[in-house]
Amino acid sequence: MTNNPIAVFDSGIGSLSIIKELRREVPAEDLLYFADRAHFPYGSKSHRELHEIIVNTINYLKRFKPKLVVVASNTPSVQVLEEVKKAVTGVPIMGVRPPLKEAARMTRKNHIGILATAGTVHSKELENQIGREVPQHILVTKFNASPIVQLVEEGVHLLDERRTFDVISRVLGDGVGDRIDVMTLSSTHLPFVKRYLNALLPTVKFVDPAQMVAKDVKKFLKFNRMTKKSGSGKLQIMVSDRKREFERSVRAMGVREPVEEVFLTF
């Protein structure tokens, strides 16, 4: 298993924020990045649809014999990951969740924000996580960031600054920086617009869980004696729809590896 790849997937470009940190944290590891654009966006799917998509996707990825699968999307990680782990056998699975404990520790105004997809924002699972991880004296405001996620997936943030600022401003509303001092980037697409967020809200700290996920992967591999000892890790990229548009976006982000289009039957 040592030389087998780590599979990383979400519904599109978002996984790249996790891939970037994995390449820094575990540079010798081979990575398989699957952008499942055929099912974009995860944030609008029902609980049942999401469960079915994630189970089928992991079963599809098993043919590449990954030593670990990283579900690099907050929406399924929050809503269905525990059920998925029971339904899929033969491969360890890790997700990414809103870093609420970290945000709660950092806030001085006792008010944090969660930027996430519509599916995550409205889920009972996120409410349960808030109940478990955020002390009662800390206020939590949730923001539906699905319009920003859509914008990133289409590569608009790379081409049209005005439109990007307008969309983010509409999502955030007025006076946010006066009330909130810490906000979680609870979609893996959101780190790609961090410079816009910093410009709009210079007094707010944004918490990106990508580094935490990469460190957790490193610990997992070490504990299970799966760490690849030497060599330089390779990146294999697959996309399930709209390859040309996807390729244009990843090239603009500095990714040079070839992109292979695959066709799913689910």
Side-chain angles (χ1 to χ4, degrees):
M1 289 293 281
T2 304
N3 293 319
N4 291 24
I6 298 166
V8 184
F9 79 95
D10 79 322
S11 63
I13 215 99
S15 288
L16 270 181
S17 62
I18 304 280
I19 295 277
K20 184 179 155 197
E21 294 302 330
L22 285 172
R23 292 183 111 173
R24 186 175 291 144
E25 201 65 45
V26 285
E29 298 294 340
D30 291 333
L31 303 175
L32 171 63
Y33 164 28
F34 177 47
D36 186 16
R37 301 188 98 208
H39 293 111
F40 178 85
Y42 287 163
S44 66
K45 302 289 187 285
S46 70
H47 192 281
R48 186 186 58 77
E49 286 172 324
L50 207 48
H51 181 270
E52 197 174 301
I53 290 164
I54 303 305
V55 168
N56 284 333
T57 302
I58 295 171
N59 282 329
Y60 169 77
L61 291 171
K62 278 164 71 173
R63 71 185 66 189
F64 301 97
K65 298 185 169 49
K67 57 184 171 184
L68 172 66
V69 173
V70 180
V71 182
S73 173
N74 285 263
T75 303
S77 296
V78 168
Q79 291 187 59
V80 299
L81 194 66
E82 296 316 308
E83 295 165 49
V84 167
K85 285 179 179 177
K86 290 172 190 161
V88 177
T89 57
V91 63
I93 303 163
M94 192 178 285
V96 52
R97 288 174 174 272
L100 303 185
K101 285 181 185 174
E102 290 73 19
R105 274 201 297 269
M106 289 166 65
T107 182
R108 294 291 169 265
K109 292 185 176 179
N110 291 328
H111 193 166
I112 65 172
I114 301 172
L115 267 173
T117 65
T120 302
V121 161
H122 300 305
S123 70
K124 67 179 189 306
E125 291 84 5
L126 179 61
E127 271 309 308
N128 293 341
Q129 189 187 343
I130 292 168
R132 287 193 311 272
E133 298 183 2
V134 180
Q136 283 190 336
H137 69 279
I138 295 176
L139 286 169
V140 177
T141 300
K142 296 179 278 188
F143 298 87
N144 174 9
S146 283
I148 307 174
V149 171
Q150 181 80 40
L151 183 128
V152 172
E153 190 61 33
E154 292 170 358
V156 174
H157 67 299
L158 300 167
L159 305 167
D160 191 336
E161 283 198 350
R162 183 72 272 144
R163 190 174 151 206
T164 304
F165 271 120
D166 287 347
V167 169
I168 295 173
S169 297
R170 276 201 302 276
V171 166
L172 295 172
D174 297 325
V176 174
D178 299 331
R179 307 188 311 272
I180 292 171
D181 59 347
V182 182
M183 203 173 277
T184 70
L185 301 180
S186 298
S187 160
T188 48
H189 285 71
L190 294 173
F192 297 118
V193 292
K194 199 170 171 205
R195 72 179 181 90
Y196 290 98
L197 292 164
N198 285 332
L200 285 165
L201 298 173
T203 61
V204 174
K205 289 179 180 147
F206 294 95
V207 192
D208 176 7
Q211 290 177 342
M212 296 169 225
V213 173
K215 286 183 192 311
D216 286 345
V217 167
K218 187 177 185 178
K219 279 186 216 156
F220 174 87
L221 296 178
K222 191 174 179 184
F223 182 79
N224 290 283
R225 297 181 181 177
M226 289 180 178
T227 307
K228 192 177 168 200
K229 298 292 187 286
S230 61
S232 182
K234 294 193 237 10
L235 176 62
Q236 180 183 352
I237 306 173
M238 301 187 307
V239 63
S240 61
D241 196 19
R242 290 168 291 144
K243 176 190 169 184
R244 191 173 295 172
E245 181 188 275
F246 174 79
E247 207 165 29
R248 198 163 53 239
S249 288
V250 297
R251 294 285 177 263
M253 292 176 181
V255 176
R256 294 286 166 258
E257 284 81 1
V259 176
E260 176 192 353
E261 188 157 17
V262 297
F263 301 95
L264 304 177
T265 54
F266 58 86

